[in-house]
Amino acid sequence: MTGYTSPSLTNAKRLVVKIGSALVVDPEKQAPRQEWLASVAADIAYLRKQGTAVTVVSSGAIALARHTLGLAGGALRLAEKQAAAAVGQISLAQAWSHALSAHGLIAAQLLLTPEDTEDRKRYLNARATLNTLLEMGCVPVINENDTVATAEIRFGDNDRLAARVAQMTDSDQLVLLSDIDGLYTADPRTNPDAQHLPVIETLTPEIEAMGGEPPPGYSSGGMRTKLLAAGIATRSGCAMAIALGKTPHPLRSLLEGGRCSWFLPQDCAHTARKQWIAGSLTPAGEIMVDDGAVTALQQGKSLLPAGVLGVKGDFSQGDLVEIINTDGIVLAHGLAAYDADDARRIAGHRSTELTDILGWHGRDEIIHRDDLVMI
């Protein structure tokens, strides 16, 4: 990894900054950290003057509403979370608007759900809105729409939301401000031998294993969700950094060479449509393939029914599904040319047999290569 140069914020044309609740909200006052937000707004203003368009993904709505609504610490019921989000989002938006307006910047609020990024039409609409706001010189401030998202259909963390926003806006850099200054080989709080990794070229299984399960004290889901975000961002050609956010002016610190971990973007440049396919968070089903199909997919070919060993889920034609090998490893994402029931019927059969099996003539492929992205 030492042969690779770390990216720099000075080169960013479009930047997404993700900020968690622990940074935004003072737990004692249960109010926004005004001075810290002011320092971040000053950093954003500086970047804007240098020609960098900045988008903020900010948590904090539910935390800000706990005191107002008399919700003590501890887990909240879904309905309580939704109510708290509705109340707290006003305070959160006001805090960002106040901090940014001090530098002549206009804040714009967007609330997104996974459906806004998974549904292609809604994704394109949200993308058009964001691009227009950035072109107008605004600073979009985005949060998950917790007032309507159910427990089953949520991002669950703003790390992955930020990665999807970076993809949506064609950003070249994403910064996750955290309570730690990057990725270590082990938890540095418990292991004195843990080594800091300044540059991660590729998300190997060994790197992904360093994420572990979300530990206590980590904001926004811990290191595991940050590595998931890195996968989405880097496949879209976006570099991602995990950096310490607790101190004032965290972005200026990065500009001045502050320690962090950079994840390098992948070289392969997908079309915008294939980036959307690759970054999907909620596949509707799963298709297991044999070794021959794995080889064919790696050579850039389509997935034919003959190579399919099994089908799981209840998906429709056009839905996004995962393609896995016999070890359960996800190989690719793709758009199904058949619904789940028909896919099960033709699994393992040659394309020449499909009309006799189905009683109608469909595509020769279960997933065409134009609708498929290797993961």
Side-chain angles (χ1 to χ4, degrees):
M1 295 182 187
T2 56
Y4 295 87
T5 302
S6 300
S8 170
L9 292 192
T10 57
N11 301 324
K13 295 179 180 178
R14 284 194 171 184
L15 170 69
V16 175
V17 182
K18 179 266 175 179
I19 303 170
S21 297
L23 297 176
V24 175
V25 182
D26 185 326
E28 294 183 3
K29 298 180 181 178
Q30 293 189 328
R33 298 179 187 268
Q34 298 288 3
E35 292 186 7
W36 185 85
L37 287 175
S39 78
V40 176
D43 292 349
I44 292 172
Y46 176 81
L47 288 165
R48 288 287 313 180
K49 289 179 181 178
Q50 305 307 307
T52 303
V54 181
T55 299
V56 175
V57 175
S58 174
S59 306
I62 293 175
L64 286 173
R66 279 183 176 268
H67 177 70
T68 304
L69 297 177
L71 298 171
L76 299 178
R77 294 182 291 108
L78 176 60
E80 291 175 329
K81 287 183 179 179
Q82 292 173 323
V87 172
Q89 191 60 42
I90 296 175
S91 299
L92 183 63
Q94 287 176 338
W96 276 111
S97 180
H98 176 74
L100 291 167
S101 64
H103 299 275
L105 297 175
I106 300 172
Q109 176 183 260
L110 282 85
L111 300 177
L112 299 176
T113 66
E115 291 175 335
D116 296 319
T117 64
E118 302 295 280
D119 179 87
R120 182 64 175 163
K121 184 175 181 180
R122 290 166 68 170
Y123 175 91
L124 292 174
N125 286 337
R127 176 178 176 167
T129 300
L130 279 168
N131 284 332
T132 301
L133 287 169
L134 291 171
E135 290 165 4
M136 290 180 169
C138 299
V139 179
V141 180
I142 300 172
N143 195 5
E144 181 167 8
N145 193 350
D146 288 313
T147 58
V148 298
T150 66
E152 294 80 14
I153 308 175
R154 297 185 67 244
F155 285 104
D157 62 86
N158 273 356
D159 294 325
R160 291 185 298 169
L161 171 58
R164 283 297 253 171
V165 168
Q167 179 190 74
M168 191 181 289
T169 55
D170 292 323
S171 294
D172 46 342
Q173 293 186 20
L174 164 64
V175 173
L176 305 182
L177 293 180
S178 179
D179 58 357
I180 192 169
D181 58 1
L183 178 65
Y184 286 75
T185 54
D187 189 338
R189 298 166 299 181
T190 59
N191 188 338
D193 296 324
Q195 297 181 351
H196 181 266
L197 301 178
V199 179
I200 294 89
E201 176 195 354
T202 306
L203 280 172
T204 63
E206 291 77 16
I207 293 293
E208 292 174 344
M210 294 175 190
E213 292 299 319
Y218 274 60
S219 60
S220 301
M223 191 57 66
R224 179 174 174 272
T225 62
K226 290 170 175 53
L227 295 182
L228 292 173
I232 297 169
T234 57
R235 285 195 298 269
S236 301
C238 177
M240 192 193 90
I242 300 173
L244 191 65
K246 293 185 289 187
T247 57
H249 297 286
L251 298 178
R252 186 176 69 186
S253 176
L254 271 185
L255 281 165
E256 295 172 351
R259 189 154 88 156
C260 68
S261 290
W262 278 106
F263 295 78
L264 301 184
Q266 292 187 7
D267 292 333
C268 57
H270 293 307
T271 64
R273 182 169 174 273
K274 286 205 169 188
Q275 287 182 12
W276 170 73
I277 293 173
S280 177
L281 302 176
T282 55
E286 185 179 277
I287 296 177
M288 180 183 291
V289 299
D290 61 23
D291 292 342
V294 172
T295 300
L297 293 175
Q298 291 172 340
Q299 294 173 348
K301 297 179 181 179
S302 301
L303 175 61
L304 301 177
V308 175
L309 298 175
V311 177
K312 291 184 179 180
D314 183 20
F315 54 86
S316 301
Q317 180 183 2
D319 283 349
L320 190 138
V321 297
E322 288 182 332
I323 302 172
I324 66 170
N325 63 14
T326 53
D327 293 325
I329 297 173
V330 178
L331 304 173
H333 283 177
L335 303 181
Y338 292 90
D339 63 30
D341 289 339
D342 286 337
R344 291 186 184 95
R345 294 171 65 189
I346 63 177
H349 292 274
R350 295 183 178 276
S351 299
T352 54
E353 304 175 72
L354 303 191
T355 301
D356 291 338
I357 295 171
L358 299 173
W360 50 275
H361 181 70
R363 297 187 67 161
D364 290 342
E365 314 87 5
I366 280 191
I367 301 178
H368 192 274
R369 64 184 179 185
D370 291 344
D371 297 328
L372 185 148
V373 180
M374 296 298 291
I375 301 298

